[in-house]
Amino acid sequence: LRFGRDDRCKRSLRFGRDDKIVHDRIKMKLNELTIKKARELLDKGEVSSREITQACLDQIRAKDGEIHAFLDVYEQEALEAADKSDARRKSEVLGPLDGIPIALKDNLMLQGKRCSAGSKILENYTAAYSGTVVRKLVDQGAVILGRTNMDEFAMGSSTEHSAYGVTKNPHDTKRVPGGSSGGSAAAVADNMCLAALGSDTGGSIRQPASLCGVVGLKPTYGRVSRYGLIAMASSLDQIGPLTKSVEDAALVLSCIQGQDHKDQTTAQVADFSPKWKKDLKGVRIGMPRQAWEEKGVDKGVREKVEAAVEELKSAGAEIKEVDLPYTNEALAVYYLVMPCEVSANLSRFDGMRYGMREKDLSLFETYSKTRVNGLGAEVRRRILLGTYALSKGYYDAYYVQAKKVQKLIHTGYEAAFRDVDALVTPTAPTTAFKIGEKTDDPLAMYLEDVFTVGANVAGLPAISIPCGESDDLPVGLHLIGNWFKEDELLAIAKRYEH
Ligand code: GLN
């Protein structure tokens, strides 16, 4: 009665009670929230963006000494952005990412901040402008927490090719987090942020998501602008989210998508908006025979993914075996087309225009010394492979041939998607491997991409979602969707997750 008379007290009493229920029910720290849950609490006024941001910063401080997910943390700016969001919330209805702490892979440019793409050659490079996706996040009020570690120029599957040391997998710190977006995946898995962005050229969002037990989405090529993403292979690169749930991935995608006149490869298509499903009745999911015959898949991974397929079936999906004749050639095509584009894209790092310069007697020696000292072994290997494959006399035999097979792969997927709505495979053939286990054997490392590269070679959307554990390490379920049908793909993924 006494509180009833005082409106303010009444309100705080009401919130006080909810608060307790919220905490009893979800028993979570603020940094462990999904974006969806955080938004609910923010909208109700039960937590502030500052509190969530501070919880993430505390977690980074407590854990990142060991994990090394971040290359830089923007503590002051993040708290300021959080305060601004809290102030806005008092008078406005805010967008879904306003006040949400997000981490960026180190190849996404944020004006005024270091952006090194995990490379020594860009160690002191400061981004001259913000990329489209980053600008969208900032404009929508997201709190940018920092930049995350990655394999140099996104080439790798473990972060071991970063010039700044390896990131550790939060599930077992003797193991890699996957790559190249390993820093982003580890940051999400260890609750140092609510979500992160990565880039995926051959699997670099999905494979680390799989190895770290989080959700990773590569959108259809052309769905999301690449402007301001330091290019690896421009015809394959796509930016996408790493999140704690499928719904969060959908949220981030809806905020970063869209045609952009600064990236002429972005498509003029209807915006993505999620269409969730109650069950999977009428949904047809294909198991590509050639992929499932792949020999090098761990027993534990196969069991979990097969069990997931059973779950999809019991949710009402029709499971079909399908033929994808050039599945096994996708890896070969990728490891030709990608290095060719790498060799062209990375020619701009010559010691003249960006970052480091090793001055020497002649111009030629300045170029070569800069590139030898500035670029790591894996990057130089790919530049050499690409330069070779593009050179006179070899171009037709290698590059043109690969492009022809790429077309066949594309046609194969087109045929498959006439019969099914999605394709299912494991995301990666293994769970997280030990640090150092594959560093001396590039081919073994390349095989990590066997299930993921097809989606890049064909430009399809694909997602990895956790589907259990094998020997206490996360396993990822890989779903590939039809071009620009992210709504369908995410609906299936969410139904499975549920
Ligand atoms: N692991 C793959 C590679 O090394 C994928 C890289 C990527 O998607 N950026 O090329």
Side-chain angles (χ1 to χ4, degrees):
L1 193 67
R2 187 157 51 87
F3 283 141
R5 239 180 263 143
D6 180 335
D7 224 60
R8 262 187 62 210
C9 288
K10 203 164 101 189
R11 201 176 312 135
S12 67
L13 184 71
R14 184 158 51 81
F15 281 145
R17 227 184 271 142
D18 278 1
D19 217 329
K20 205 162 152 280
I21 295 170
V22 164
H23 289 296
D24 285 352
R25 192 178 59 213
I26 61 178
K27 286 199 174 57
M28 270 185 174
K29 291 196 276 179
L30 295 179
N31 54 307
E32 292 171 3
L33 297 171
T34 57
I35 300 178
K36 186 181 175 215
K37 191 74 213 168
R39 271 180 74 194
E40 270 170 43
L41 299 180
L42 285 166
D43 287 345
K44 285 195 216 149
E46 289 178 11
V47 296
S48 64
S49 167
R50 175 175 264 265
E51 288 171 312
I52 300 175
T53 304
Q54 190 61 58
C56 291
L57 291 168
D58 291 347
Q59 177 73 355
I60 294 172
R61 187 163 301 159
K63 297 296 292 294
D64 206 38
E66 186 183 14
I67 301 295
H68 189 46
F70 283 85
L71 295 178
D72 253 332
V73 180
Y74 313 137
E75 179 158 356
Q76 221 38 52
E77 288 103 320
L79 290 171
E80 278 163 24
D83 286 342
K84 282 193 189 142
S85 169
D86 289 331
R88 271 195 300 276
R89 198 172 291 276
K90 293 205 174 87
S91 56
E92 287 169 48
V93 180
L94 300 182
L97 293 185
D98 211 308
I100 302 294
I102 291 183
L104 300 178
K105 187 176 180 179
D106 186 33
N107 56 358
L108 294 163
M109 303 216 293
L110 170 62
Q111 187 171 25
K113 291 289 178 205
R114 288 279 154 81
C115 191
S116 73
S119 180
K120 202 173 144 207
I121 209 164
L122 290 177
E123 188 167 9
N124 296 314
Y125 174 70
T126 301
Y129 60 92
S130 289
T132 298
V133 159
V134 174
R135 191 181 42 70
K136 284 188 180 196
L137 291 185
V138 172
D139 288 352
Q140 292 175 52
V143 172
I144 309 296
L145 277 181
R147 59 183 174 113
T148 57
N149 195 25
M150 57 182 281
D151 289 290
E152 186 173 10
F153 287 107
M155 300 175 204
S157 302
S158 67
T159 72
E160 290 167 291
H161 296 313
S162 166
Y164 305 100
V166 65
T167 297
K168 316 267 169 51
N169 191 316
H171 293 270
D172 176 351
T173 52
K174 289 192 190 61
R175 292 173 188 271
V176 302
S180 62
S181 314
S184 287
V188 175
D190 215 9
N191 296 304
M192 298 181 199
C193 54
L194 269 51
L197 289 187
S199 65
D200 191 312
T201 307
S204 276
I205 291 175
R206 292 160 287 155
Q207 184 259 9
S210 170
L211 270 48
C212 287
V214 299
V215 172
L217 170 69
K218 179 197 95 73
T220 309
Y221 186 80
R223 168 73 79 188
V224 177
S225 169
R226 295 175 292 108
Y227 179 71
L229 163 71
I230 298 179
M232 176 181 167
S234 311
S235 76
L236 307 165
D237 299 340
Q238 247 330 253
I239 299 168
L242 291 115
T243 56
K244 298 173 196 178
S245 73
V246 173
E247 222 171 325
D248 280 6
L251 249 166
V252 178
L253 178 64
S254 56
C255 294
I256 63 172
Q257 67 174 338
Q259 202 186 11
D260 179 13
H261 71 273
K262 292 185 174 127
D263 172 0
Q264 296 293 319
T265 64
T266 50
Q268 192 176 9
V269 285
D271 275 352
F272 156 78
S273 66
K275 286 191 202 76
W276 306 124
K277 289 180 192 293
K278 278 212 205 63
D279 55 50
L280 297 181
K281 292 215 177 70
V283 173
R284 301 153 307 164
I285 299 178
M287 294 172 78
R289 186 178 305 115
Q290 291 79 356
W292 282 86
E293 279 164 4
E294 178 60 47
K295 297 278 179 309
V297 184
D298 280 0
K299 193 164 156 274
V301 170
R302 188 178 285 273
E303 278 169 13
K304 289 294 159 190
V305 178
E306 278 169 357
V309 172
E310 286 306 312
E311 293 280 345
L312 290 166
K313 205 189 272 176
S314 53
E318 181 193 343
I319 308 290
K320 294 178 148 189
E321 206 173 272
V322 294
D323 242 336
L324 262 184
Y326 295 98
T327 305
N328 298 329
E329 280 73 18
L331 198 67
V333 166
Y334 173 76
Y335 275 98
L336 261 169
V337 172
M338 175 272 295
C340 288
E341 294 188 24
V342 159
S343 79
N345 273 329
L346 269 64
S347 66
R348 62 169 67 92
F349 303 107
D350 57 2
M352 300 296 134
R353 285 170 281 198
Y354 308 90
M356 182 179 129
R357 176 184 303 166
E358 298 271 52
K359 261 209 167 126
D360 209 319
L361 298 175
S362 69
L363 180 62
F364 181 81
E365 280 156 21
T366 301
Y367 284 151
S368 70
K369 212 166 170 184
T370 302
R371 285 167 72 82
V372 166
N373 294 342
L375 299 172
E378 180 62 23
V379 171
R380 281 181 282 137
R381 173 170 21 245
R382 296 194 193 193
I383 292 174
L384 282 173
L385 281 170
T387 308
Y388 180 81
L390 287 176
S391 58
K392 188 158 179 266
Y394 298 107
Y395 178 85
D396 288 327
Y398 293 115
Y399 184 71
V400 173
Q401 188 68 8
K403 291 302 274 185
K404 285 181 187 163
V405 182
Q406 181 174 14
K407 179 72 195 158
L408 291 174
I409 292 169
H410 199 280
T411 313
Y413 278 111
E414 266 170 1
F417 280 113
R418 279 196 280 276
D419 283 337
V420 297
D421 305 296
L423 296 164
V424 62
T425 68
T427 306
T430 65
T431 53
F433 46 93
K434 291 233 170 73
I435 294 171
E437 196 179 317
K438 300 191 183 189
T439 32
D440 296 333
D441 186 354
L443 287 179
M445 192 77 96
Y446 296 171
L447 275 171
E448 272 294 299
D449 308 326
V450 63
F451 296 119
T452 48
V453 288
N456 301 78
V457 166
L460 292 161
I463 190 168
S464 178
I465 46 175
C467 69
E469 294 189 343
S470 164
D471 290 332
D472 294 329
L473 293 168
V475 176
L477 175 73
H478 189 221
L479 291 163
I480 305 177
N482 206 339
W483 289 274
F484 296 106
K485 293 275 175 60
E486 280 90 348
D487 51 356
E488 183 83 10
L489 174 68
L490 289 170
I492 299 169
K494 181 165 177 229
R495 200 55 232 162
Y496 171 76
E497 181 186 59
H498 183 77

